[in-house]
C-alpha cells in the first residue's frame, strides 16, 4: 500500500485520539515507522546505562522502562494489527502496562539491547505494514473492549512512540544533560 489513510473517529476509542493526531502530524506513517528508529537512537543512543535509569520522580518510569514499554506496546499493537487485518473477529484483550513494565526488569538490561530490540521489531513491522492491502487495512475488530481498525492501529503505533518521545525530550533528557 502506498499510503495509509487516516482512520475515522469511529475506528478507534477516544483514548487513542492523541496518538492518531501525533501520527497525522508526522505525515506519511509508513515513512515515519523507519524515521522513528533513527529518532530514538539519536535521542537516547548516547546515554550511559546509568543515565538511562533516570526517572523524573519515584513514581515515574525510567528511560529504560519507557523504551521497554515501547517494545511491549509495539508487540501488542502489531499483534492486534495482524489479527484484525486477517479478518479475525475474536475480541482481543487489553494489557496492564504498569504490570508489564514492572516485570520487564528493564533497568537491569543494556540500553543498547533495548534500542536494538525496538529497531528489529519495528523494521519487521514496517515491512508488514508497507505490504498491507487496502482491504486489510480497512478491517475492523475489537481490542480492549472497543472497535479498532487495522489502519487506526498503524497510526497508533506511530503516535504512541511520538507521545513517549515527546515526554522524553521535554521532561527526561533536559534533566540529565
Amino acid at each position: 500500500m502506498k499510503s495509509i489513510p487516516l482512520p475515522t473517529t469511529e475506528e478507534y476509542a477516544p483514548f487513542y485520539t492523541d496518538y492518531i493526531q501525533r501520527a497525522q502530524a508526522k505525515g506519511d506513517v509508513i515513512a515515519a515507522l523507519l524515521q522513528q528508529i533513527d529518532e530514538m537512537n539519536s535521542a537516547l543512543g548516547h546515554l550511559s546505562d546509568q543515565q538511562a535509569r533516570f526517572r523524573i520522580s519515584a513514581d515515574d518510569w525510567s528511560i529504560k522502562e519507557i523504551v521497554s514499554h515501547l517494545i511491549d506496546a509495539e508487540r501488542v499493537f502489531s499483534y492486534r494489527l495482524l489479527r484484525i487485518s486477517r479478518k479475525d473477529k475474536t475480541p482481543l484483550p487489553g494489557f496492564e502496562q504498569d504490570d508489564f513494565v514492572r516485570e520487564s526488569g528493564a533497568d537491569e538490561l543494556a540500553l543498547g539491547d533495548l534500542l536494538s530490540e525496538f529497531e528489529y521489531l519495528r523494521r519487521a513491522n514496517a515491512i508488514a505494514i508497507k505490504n498491507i492491502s487496502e482491504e486489510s487495512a480497512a478491517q475492523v475488530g475489537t481490542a480492549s473492549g472497543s472497535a479498532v481498525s487495522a489502519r487506526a492501529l498503524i497510526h497508533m503505533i506511530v503516535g504512541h512512540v511520538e507521545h513517549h518521545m515527546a515526554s522524553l525530550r521535554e521532561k527526561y533528557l533536559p534533566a540529565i544533560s
Side-chain angles (χ1 to χ4, degrees), residues 1-5 28-34 74 78 81-82 85-86 121-137 150-151 153-155 157-158:
M1 178 178 272
K2 298 231 187 274
S3 67
I4 306 295
D28 180 353
V29 291
I30 294 174
L33 290 164
L34 296 177
E74 182 92 5
S78 64
L81 172 60
L82 172 68
S85 70
R86 299 294 200 263
L121 180 59
R122 175 53 71 88
R123 286 191 185 283
N125 287 335
I127 292 168
I129 290 167
K130 180 183 78 157
N131 293 318
I132 196 168
S133 71
E134 197 170 317
E135 179 188 355
S136 294
R151 69 176 158 232
L153 284 160
I154 294 166
H155 284 81
I157 287 169
V158 170

Side-chain angles (χ1 to χ4, degrees), residues 147-169:
V148 66
S149 70
R151 69 176 158 232
L153 284 160
I154 294 166
H155 284 81
M156 288 159 48
I157 287 169
V158 170
H160 181 250
V161 169
E162 285 302 301
H163 167 81
H164 285 287
M165 289 304 297
S167 175
L168 286 165
R169 285 186 196 104

Side-chain angles (χ1 to χ4, degrees), residues 39-47 63 67 111 115 165 168 173:
E39 290 167 359
M40 187 179 299
N41 284 328
S42 177
L44 305 178
H46 68 281
L47 299 177
I63 293 170
V67 176
L111 177 62
L115 293 172
M165 289 304 297
L168 286 165
L173 297 176

Side-chain angles (χ1 to χ4, degrees), residues 44-152:
L44 305 178
H46 68 281
L47 299 177
S48 70
D49 281 328
Q50 186 60 38
Q51 287 174 311
R53 285 189 180 107
F54 174 77
R55 59 188 74 235
I56 54 177
S57 78
D59 295 331
D60 288 299
W61 296 338
S62 71
I63 293 170
K64 285 184 181 185
E65 287 172 332
I66 292 170
V67 176
S68 178
H69 167 68
L70 291 173
I71 293 165
D72 290 345
E74 182 92 5
R75 281 196 168 97
V76 170
F77 288 161
S78 64
Y79 178 70
R80 291 173 179 173
L81 172 60
L82 172 68
R83 299 274 304 263
I84 290 168
S85 70
R86 299 294 200 263
K87 300 182 181 181
D88 185 341
K89 298 301 181 189
T90 306
L92 302 171
F95 74 106
E96 180 46 59
Q97 63 183 15
D98 290 320
D99 292 345
F100 274 47
V101 168
R102 185 178 50 256
E103 297 302 322
S104 73
D107 278 341
E108 303 312 313
L109 303 175
L111 177 62
D113 287 347
L114 290 166
L115 293 172
S116 291
E117 184 176 356
F118 176 83
E119 178 176 353
Y120 298 141
L121 180 59
R122 175 53 71 88
R123 286 191 185 283
N125 287 335
I127 292 168
I129 290 167
K130 180 183 78 157
N131 293 318
I132 196 168
S133 71
E134 197 170 317
E135 179 188 355
S136 294
Q139 293 302 310
V140 177
T142 303
S144 299
S146 297
V148 66
S149 70
R151 69 176 158 232

